[in-house]
Amino acid sequence: MTEAWHPEDDEPRGASGPVRVRVPAKVNLHLGVGPLRRDGYHELNTVYHAISIYDELTARRGDTLTLTMEGEGTGELALDDSNLVLRAAHALAGYAGVMPHARLHLRKQIPLAGGLAGGSADAAAALVACDALWGTGLSRDELAGIAADLGSDVPFLIHGGTALGTGRGEAVSPVLARPTSWHWVVAIADGGLSTPQAYRELDRLRETGAAGPPLGSTDALLAALRQRDPRVLATTLGNDLQDAALAMRPALAATLKAGEAAGALAGIVSGSGPTCVFLTADAADAERVAAELEAAEVCRQARTAHGPVPGARIT
Ligand code: C5P
């Protein structure tokens, strides 16, 4: 528990003006899915990577807790207590023993149910923003502890960068590599895919022998990250959920093919899809591949991005 008020005066701690937090989307460079556990989650062996597509959350002082939004998903995303942003604010307030009072506004660029962990990103942003607004002063590890209860990807989005994820994905440890920027094209699809459904579809494909062999260890990918050569990294990207996403959305096969035909070094489905991500040799190639994907009409929008970038941070 953290004391949220200065004992020496009655002035509230924390920020009096607005706190603005920027949070990135994530892709999984390697998403190894193990067996279904008793708690309904799958054991994961994953390498998370934060990329430069951002949501932004602004927190202001208020007399109650409210959430408004603009951008991706406006009108579709529920703004009631089921929203991960509000759940995050309540969880932090409960942990720190403060009233959950804030006016929160979300500007979304990360698509809903896209396999880019947009909802988890917003929850991570809410924890960082409210911690500053309320002056609760938690460490990043304490915030990551609260984050784990909100969703498997939320702790990673507090940290950002490139990191190994184990357990159900919530146990995160940074991958130390010399600074390199990788250049990506992110092909955003029309509509989303349900993550629980994608995991169920993978279980079904595995039961019927229709799934490809599981990915196995992350060693080759981690070695490729150290080598800093995108052509080497391209050979090591993999996602066990890709077969499931392709079964649920067969049109993604054409998106993957078009990206590679346009000169991407490799393409994979991001997380549970339907977003596809392509590794390119450099920023100029990424621009070219994005333009070709849009011209081929195999996605709603193709954006360039680079990674790794930091997790949820006050701007
Ligand atoms: O943790 P999160 O709420 O993001 O997970 C959403 C759903 O995805 C879970 O309810 C579960 O069905 C599935 N999931 C899983 N194994 C994981 C992570 C998520 O089966 N490691």
Short mmCIF file of all heavy atoms in Angstrom, two decimals, residues 185-233:
data_model
loop_
_atom_site.label_atom_id
_atom_site.label_comp_id
_atom_site.label_asym_id
_atom_site.label_seq_id
_atom_site.Cartn_x
_atom_site.Cartn_y
_atom_site.Cartn_z
N VAL A 185 6.17 -3.20 -41.70
CA VAL A 185 4.93 -2.73 -42.30
C VAL A 185 3.81 -3.48 -41.60
O VAL A 185 3.89 -4.70 -41.42
CB VAL A 185 4.88 -2.99 -43.82
CG1 VAL A 185 3.53 -2.56 -44.39
CG2 VAL A 185 6.01 -2.23 -44.50
N VAL A 186 2.81 -2.73 -41.19
CA VAL A 186 1.70 -3.29 -40.43
C VAL A 186 0.46 -3.19 -41.30
O VAL A 186 0.01 -2.10 -41.63
CB VAL A 186 1.52 -2.49 -39.11
CG1 VAL A 186 0.37 -3.03 -38.30
CG2 VAL A 186 2.82 -2.52 -38.31
N ALA A 187 -0.07 -4.35 -41.71
CA ALA A 187 -1.25 -4.38 -42.58
C ALA A 187 -2.48 -4.62 -41.71
O ALA A 187 -2.68 -5.71 -41.18
CB ALA A 187 -1.11 -5.48 -43.63
N ILE A 188 -3.26 -3.55 -41.56
CA ILE A 188 -4.44 -3.59 -40.69
C ILE A 188 -5.64 -4.07 -41.50
O ILE A 188 -5.89 -3.55 -42.60
CB ILE A 188 -4.68 -2.20 -40.07
CG1 ILE A 188 -3.47 -1.81 -39.20
CG2 ILE A 188 -5.98 -2.15 -39.28
CD1 ILE A 188 -3.45 -0.37 -38.75
N ALA A 189 -6.35 -5.05 -40.97
CA ALA A 189 -7.48 -5.65 -41.69
C ALA A 189 -8.77 -4.93 -41.36
O ALA A 189 -8.84 -4.16 -40.40
CB ALA A 189 -7.59 -7.13 -41.31
N ASP A 190 -9.80 -5.20 -42.13
CA ASP A 190 -11.15 -4.76 -41.77
C ASP A 190 -11.66 -5.69 -40.69
O ASP A 190 -11.65 -6.91 -40.87
CB ASP A 190 -12.07 -4.90 -43.00
CG ASP A 190 -12.10 -3.62 -43.81
OD1 ASP A 190 -12.14 -2.53 -43.21
OD2 ASP A 190 -12.05 -3.74 -45.05
N GLY A 191 -12.13 -5.14 -39.58
CA GLY A 191 -12.71 -5.98 -38.53
C GLY A 191 -11.63 -6.70 -37.73
O GLY A 191 -10.48 -6.76 -38.15
N GLY A 192 -12.02 -7.24 -36.59
CA GLY A 192 -11.07 -7.89 -35.70
C GLY A 192 -11.24 -9.40 -35.67
O GLY A 192 -12.06 -9.95 -36.39
N LEU A 193 -10.41 -10.05 -34.85
CA LEU A 193 -10.56 -11.48 -34.56
C LEU A 193 -10.55 -11.62 -33.04
O LEU A 193 -9.83 -10.90 -32.36
CB LEU A 193 -9.42 -12.30 -35.16
CG LEU A 193 -9.45 -12.63 -36.66
CD1 LEU A 193 -8.22 -13.45 -37.04
CD2 LEU A 193 -10.72 -13.39 -37.03
N SER A 194 -11.32 -12.58 -32.54
CA SER A 194 -11.37 -12.80 -31.09
C SER A 194 -10.18 -13.63 -30.65
O SER A 194 -9.93 -14.71 -31.19
CB SER A 194 -12.69 -13.49 -30.74
OG SER A 194 -12.51 -14.32 -29.62
N THR A 195 -9.45 -13.13 -29.66
CA THR A 195 -8.28 -13.87 -29.16
C THR A 195 -8.66 -15.22 -28.56
O THR A 195 -8.06 -16.24 -28.93
CB THR A 195 -7.50 -13.00 -28.14
OG1 THR A 195 -7.09 -11.80 -28.81
CG2 THR A 195 -6.29 -13.71 -27.59
N PRO A 196 -9.66 -15.29 -27.64
CA PRO A 196 -10.02 -16.62 -27.11
C PRO A 196 -10.42 -17.60 -28.21
O PRO A 196 -10.07 -18.78 -28.16
CB PRO A 196 -11.22 -16.33 -26.19
CG PRO A 196 -11.22 -14.88 -25.95
CD PRO A 196 -10.42 -14.21 -27.02
N GLN A 197 -11.11 -17.08 -29.24
CA GLN A 197 -11.52 -17.96 -30.34
C GLN A 197 -10.31 -18.47 -31.12
O GLN A 197 -10.28 -19.62 -31.54
CB GLN A 197 -12.42 -17.17 -31.29
CG GLN A 197 -13.74 -17.85 -31.56
CD GLN A 197 -14.60 -16.97 -32.45
OE1 GLN A 197 -14.88 -15.82 -32.07
NE2 GLN A 197 -14.98 -17.46 -33.61
N ALA A 198 -9.31 -17.63 -31.31
CA ALA A 198 -8.11 -18.06 -32.03
C ALA A 198 -7.39 -19.17 -31.26
O ALA A 198 -6.94 -20.16 -31.85
CB ALA A 198 -7.18 -16.86 -32.27
N TYR A 199 -7.29 -19.01 -29.94
CA TYR A 199 -6.66 -20.07 -29.13
C TYR A 199 -7.48 -21.37 -29.22
O TYR A 199 -6.91 -22.46 -29.33
CB TYR A 199 -6.51 -19.63 -27.67
CG TYR A 199 -5.27 -18.78 -27.43
CD1 TYR A 199 -5.36 -17.40 -27.33
CD2 TYR A 199 -4.02 -19.37 -27.28
CE1 TYR A 199 -4.23 -16.62 -27.09
CE2 TYR A 199 -2.88 -18.60 -27.04
CZ TYR A 199 -3.00 -17.23 -26.95
OH TYR A 199 -1.88 -16.47 -26.73
N ARG A 200 -8.81 -21.24 -29.17
CA ARG A 200 -9.66 -22.45 -29.26
C ARG A 200 -9.48 -23.11 -30.62
O ARG A 200 -9.43 -24.34 -30.72
CB ARG A 200 -11.14 -22.09 -29.03
CG ARG A 200 -11.50 -21.97 -27.55
CD ARG A 200 -13.01 -22.06 -27.35
NE ARG A 200 -13.74 -20.99 -28.01
CZ ARG A 200 -13.95 -19.78 -27.47
NH1 ARG A 200 -13.50 -19.50 -26.26
NH2 ARG A 200 -14.63 -18.86 -28.12
N GLU A 201 -9.38 -22.29 -31.67
CA GLU A 201 -9.20 -22.84 -33.02
C GLU A 201 -7.86 -23.57 -33.11
O GLU A 201 -7.78 -24.64 -33.72
CB GLU A 201 -9.29 -21.70 -34.05
CG GLU A 201 -9.09 -22.10 -35.50
CD GLU A 201 -10.15 -23.07 -36.04
OE1 GLU A 201 -11.21 -23.24 -35.40
OE2 GLU A 201 -9.90 -23.67 -37.11
N LEU A 202 -6.82 -23.02 -32.50
CA LEU A 202 -5.52 -23.71 -32.51
C LEU A 202 -5.64 -25.06 -31.80
O LEU A 202 -5.12 -26.08 -32.31
CB LEU A 202 -4.44 -22.85 -31.85
CG LEU A 202 -3.07 -23.53 -31.71
CD1 LEU A 202 -2.48 -23.88 -33.09
CD2 LEU A 202 -2.09 -22.66 -30.93
N ASP A 203 -6.31 -25.10 -30.64
CA ASP A 203 -6.49 -26.38 -29.93
C ASP A 203 -7.21 -27.38 -30.84
O ASP A 203 -6.84 -28.56 -30.89
CB ASP A 203 -7.32 -26.18 -28.66
CG ASP A 203 -6.56 -25.39 -27.59
OD1 ASP A 203 -5.31 -25.38 -27.65
OD2 ASP A 203 -7.21 -24.80 -26.71
N ARG A 204 -8.23 -26.88 -31.55
CA ARG A 204 -9.01 -27.77 -32.43
C ARG A 204 -8.12 -28.29 -33.57
O ARG A 204 -8.13 -29.49 -33.87
CB ARG A 204 -10.21 -27.00 -33.00
CG ARG A 204 -11.30 -27.87 -33.62
CD ARG A 204 -12.35 -27.02 -34.33
NE ARG A 204 -11.82 -26.30 -35.50
CZ ARG A 204 -11.58 -26.85 -36.68
NH1 ARG A 204 -11.85 -28.12 -36.90
NH2 ARG A 204 -11.08 -26.12 -37.67
N LEU A 205 -7.36 -27.41 -34.18
CA LEU A 205 -6.48 -27.82 -35.28
C LEU A 205 -5.45 -28.84 -34.78
O LEU A 205 -5.13 -29.80 -35.48
CB LEU A 205 -5.76 -26.61 -35.89
CG LEU A 205 -6.62 -25.60 -36.64
CD1 LEU A 205 -5.81 -24.37 -37.04
CD2 LEU A 205 -7.24 -26.24 -37.90
N ARG A 206 -4.95 -28.63 -33.57
CA ARG A 206 -3.97 -29.57 -33.02
C ARG A 206 -4.60 -30.93 -32.74
O ARG A 206 -3.98 -31.96 -33.00
CB ARG A 206 -3.33 -28.99 -31.75
CG ARG A 206 -2.30 -27.92 -32.09
CD ARG A 206 -1.64 -27.33 -30.86
NE ARG A 206 -0.50 -26.51 -31.26
CZ ARG A 206 0.16 -25.71 -30.45
NH1 ARG A 206 -0.21 -25.60 -29.18
NH2 ARG A 206 1.19 -25.02 -30.90
N GLU A 207 -5.83 -30.92 -32.21
CA GLU A 207 -6.52 -32.19 -31.91
C GLU A 207 -6.74 -33.01 -33.17
O GLU A 207 -6.66 -34.23 -33.15
CB GLU A 207 -7.87 -31.91 -31.25
CG GLU A 207 -7.79 -31.77 -29.74
CD GLU A 207 -9.03 -31.10 -29.18
OE1 GLU A 207 -10.14 -31.27 -29.78
OE2 GLU A 207 -8.89 -30.39 -28.18
N THR A 208 -7.02 -32.30 -34.28
CA THR A 208 -7.32 -33.01 -35.52
C THR A 208 -6.06 -33.22 -36.37
O THR A 208 -6.16 -33.70 -37.50
CB THR A 208 -8.37 -32.23 -36.35
OG1 THR A 208 -7.84 -30.92 -36.61
CG2 THR A 208 -9.69 -32.10 -35.61
N GLY A 209 -4.91 -32.83 -35.85
CA GLY A 209 -3.65 -33.02 -36.59
C GLY A 209 -3.49 -32.05 -37.76
O GLY A 209 -2.61 -32.23 -38.60
N ALA A 210 -4.31 -30.99 -37.78
CA ALA A 210 -4.26 -30.07 -38.92
C ALA A 210 -3.34 -28.86 -38.68
O ALA A 210 -3.14 -28.05 -39.58
CB ALA A 210 -5.68 -29.58 -39.24
N ALA A 211 -2.79 -28.74 -37.46
CA ALA A 211 -1.89 -27.61 -37.18
C ALA A 211 -0.47 -27.98 -37.56
O ALA A 211 -0.10 -29.15 -37.52
CB ALA A 211 -1.97 -27.26 -35.70
N GLY A 212 0.32 -26.99 -37.91
CA GLY A 212 1.73 -27.22 -38.19
C GLY A 212 2.45 -27.59 -36.89
O GLY A 212 1.87 -27.48 -35.81
N PRO A 213 3.71 -28.02 -36.98
CA PRO A 213 4.46 -28.35 -35.76
C PRO A 213 4.66 -27.11 -34.90
O PRO A 213 4.81 -26.01 -35.44
CB PRO A 213 5.80 -28.88 -36.30
CG PRO A 213 5.91 -28.33 -37.67
CD PRO A 213 4.52 -28.13 -38.20
N PRO A 214 4.64 -27.26 -33.57
CA PRO A 214 4.85 -26.09 -32.71
C PRO A 214 6.24 -25.49 -32.89
O PRO A 214 7.17 -26.18 -33.29
CB PRO A 214 4.66 -26.63 -31.29
CG PRO A 214 4.66 -28.10 -31.39
CD PRO A 214 4.42 -28.50 -32.81
N LEU A 215 6.35 -24.20 -32.62
CA LEU A 215 7.58 -23.46 -32.93
C LEU A 215 8.83 -23.93 -32.18
O LEU A 215 9.92 -23.89 -32.74
CB LEU A 215 7.38 -21.98 -32.60
CG LEU A 215 6.68 -21.12 -33.62
CD1 LEU A 215 6.62 -19.68 -33.10
CD2 LEU A 215 7.42 -21.15 -34.95
N GLY A 216 8.69 -24.28 -30.92
CA GLY A 216 9.88 -24.66 -30.16
C GLY A 216 10.60 -23.44 -29.59
O GLY A 216 9.97 -22.42 -29.32
N SER A 217 11.91 -23.54 -29.43
CA SER A 217 12.66 -22.56 -28.64
C SER A 217 12.83 -21.22 -29.37
O SER A 217 12.74 -21.13 -30.60
CB SER A 217 14.01 -23.15 -28.27
OG SER A 217 15.07 -22.39 -28.79
N THR A 218 13.12 -20.19 -28.57
CA THR A 218 13.33 -18.85 -29.11
C THR A 218 14.82 -18.59 -29.42
O THR A 218 15.17 -17.47 -29.80
CB THR A 218 12.86 -17.78 -28.10
OG1 THR A 218 13.53 -18.03 -26.85
CG2 THR A 218 11.37 -17.83 -27.86
N ASP A 219 15.67 -19.60 -29.26
CA ASP A 219 17.12 -19.39 -29.37
C ASP A 219 17.54 -18.76 -30.70
O ASP A 219 18.34 -17.82 -30.73
CB ASP A 219 17.90 -20.71 -29.19
CG ASP A 219 17.80 -21.23 -27.76
OD1 ASP A 219 17.25 -20.50 -26.91
OD2 ASP A 219 18.25 -22.36 -27.51
N ALA A 220 17.01 -19.28 -31.81
CA ALA A 220 17.43 -18.79 -33.13
C ALA A 220 17.01 -17.32 -33.29
O ALA A 220 17.79 -16.50 -33.81
CB ALA A 220 16.79 -19.63 -34.23
N LEU A 221 15.82 -17.00 -32.82
CA LEU A 221 15.35 -15.62 -32.93
C LEU A 221 16.22 -14.68 -32.08
O LEU A 221 16.61 -13.60 -32.54
CB LEU A 221 13.89 -15.52 -32.49
CG LEU A 221 13.38 -14.09 -32.54
CD1 LEU A 221 12.80 -13.75 -33.88
CD2 LEU A 221 12.42 -13.79 -31.45
N LEU A 222 16.54 -15.11 -30.87
CA LEU A 222 17.35 -14.25 -29.98
C LEU A 222 18.74 -14.05 -30.57
O LEU A 222 19.30 -12.95 -30.51
CB LEU A 222 17.42 -14.85 -28.57
CG LEU A 222 16.05 -14.94 -27.85
CD1 LEU A 222 16.20 -15.61 -26.49
CD2 LEU A 222 15.41 -13.57 -27.70
N ALA A 223 19.29 -15.09 -31.18
CA ALA A 223 20.61 -14.96 -31.82
C ALA A 223 20.50 -14.00 -33.01
O ALA A 223 21.39 -13.16 -33.22
CB ALA A 223 21.10 -16.33 -32.27
N ALA A 224 19.41 -14.09 -33.76
CA ALA A 224 19.22 -13.20 -34.91
C ALA A 224 19.10 -11.75 -34.47
O ALA A 224 19.62 -10.84 -35.13
CB ALA A 224 17.99 -13.62 -35.70
N LEU A 225 18.42 -11.51 -33.34
CA LEU A 225 18.30 -10.13 -32.84
C LEU A 225 19.68 -9.57 -32.53
O LEU A 225 19.95 -8.39 -32.78
CB LEU A 225 17.42 -10.09 -31.58
CG LEU A 225 15.92 -10.25 -31.79
CD1 LEU A 225 15.21 -10.44 -30.45
CD2 LEU A 225 15.33 -9.05 -32.53
N ARG A 226 20.57 -10.42 -32.01
CA ARG A 226 21.93 -9.94 -31.69
C ARG A 226 22.73 -9.66 -32.95
O ARG A 226 23.59 -8.80 -32.98
CB ARG A 226 22.65 -10.97 -30.81
CG ARG A 226 22.14 -10.99 -29.38
CD ARG A 226 23.04 -11.81 -28.47
NE ARG A 226 23.03 -13.23 -28.80
CZ ARG A 226 22.18 -14.12 -28.30
NH1 ARG A 226 21.25 -13.73 -27.44
NH2 ARG A 226 22.23 -15.38 -28.64
N GLN A 227 22.44 -10.42 -34.02
CA GLN A 227 23.20 -10.25 -35.27
C GLN A 227 22.85 -8.98 -36.02
O GLN A 227 23.60 -8.55 -36.89
CB GLN A 227 22.91 -11.44 -36.20
CG GLN A 227 24.01 -12.47 -36.18
CD GLN A 227 23.63 -13.63 -37.07
OE1 GLN A 227 22.86 -14.49 -36.67
NE2 GLN A 227 24.13 -13.63 -38.30
N ARG A 228 21.71 -8.43 -35.78
CA ARG A 228 21.27 -7.14 -36.34
C ARG A 228 21.14 -7.14 -37.85
O ARG A 228 21.27 -6.11 -38.48
CB ARG A 228 22.23 -6.02 -35.89
CG ARG A 228 22.37 -5.94 -34.39
CD ARG A 228 23.57 -5.16 -33.99
NE ARG A 228 23.28 -3.74 -33.90
CZ ARG A 228 24.22 -2.81 -33.82
NH1 ARG A 228 25.49 -3.12 -33.85
NH2 ARG A 228 23.90 -1.54 -33.73
N ASP A 229 20.92 -8.30 -38.45
CA ASP A 229 20.73 -8.38 -39.90
C ASP A 229 19.28 -8.78 -40.17
O ASP A 229 18.86 -9.88 -39.84
CB ASP A 229 21.69 -9.44 -40.48
CG ASP A 229 21.54 -9.57 -41.99
OD1 ASP A 229 20.53 -9.08 -42.55
OD2 ASP A 229 22.43 -10.19 -42.60
N PRO A 230 18.50 -7.87 -40.78
CA PRO A 230 17.07 -8.18 -40.97
C PRO A 230 16.84 -9.45 -41.80
O PRO A 230 15.84 -10.14 -41.61
CB PRO A 230 16.51 -6.94 -41.66
CG PRO A 230 17.68 -6.16 -42.16
CD PRO A 230 18.85 -6.52 -41.30
N ARG A 231 17.78 -9.75 -42.70
CA ARG A 231 17.60 -10.97 -43.52
C ARG A 231 17.69 -12.22 -42.67
O ARG A 231 17.03 -13.22 -42.93
CB ARG A 231 18.62 -11.01 -44.66
CG ARG A 231 18.21 -10.07 -45.77
CD ARG A 231 19.21 -9.89 -46.88
NE ARG A 231 18.69 -8.87 -47.76
CZ ARG A 231 18.77 -7.56 -47.53
NH1 ARG A 231 19.37 -7.12 -46.45
NH2 ARG A 231 18.23 -6.69 -48.37
N VAL A 232 18.51 -12.17 -41.64
CA VAL A 232 18.62 -13.31 -40.71
C VAL A 232 17.38 -13.35 -39.81
O VAL A 232 16.76 -14.39 -39.61
CB VAL A 232 19.93 -13.22 -39.89
CG1 VAL A 232 20.01 -14.37 -38.89
CG2 VAL A 232 21.14 -13.23 -40.81
N LEU A 233 17.02 -12.19 -39.28
CA LEU A 233 15.84 -12.15 -38.40
C LEU A 233 14.60 -12.68 -39.13
O LEU A 233 13.78 -13.40 -38.56
CB LEU A 233 15.59 -10.71 -37.91
CG LEU A 233 14.44 -10.55 -36.91
CD1 LEU A 233 14.72 -11.30 -35.61
CD2 LEU A 233 14.17 -9.07 -36.62
#
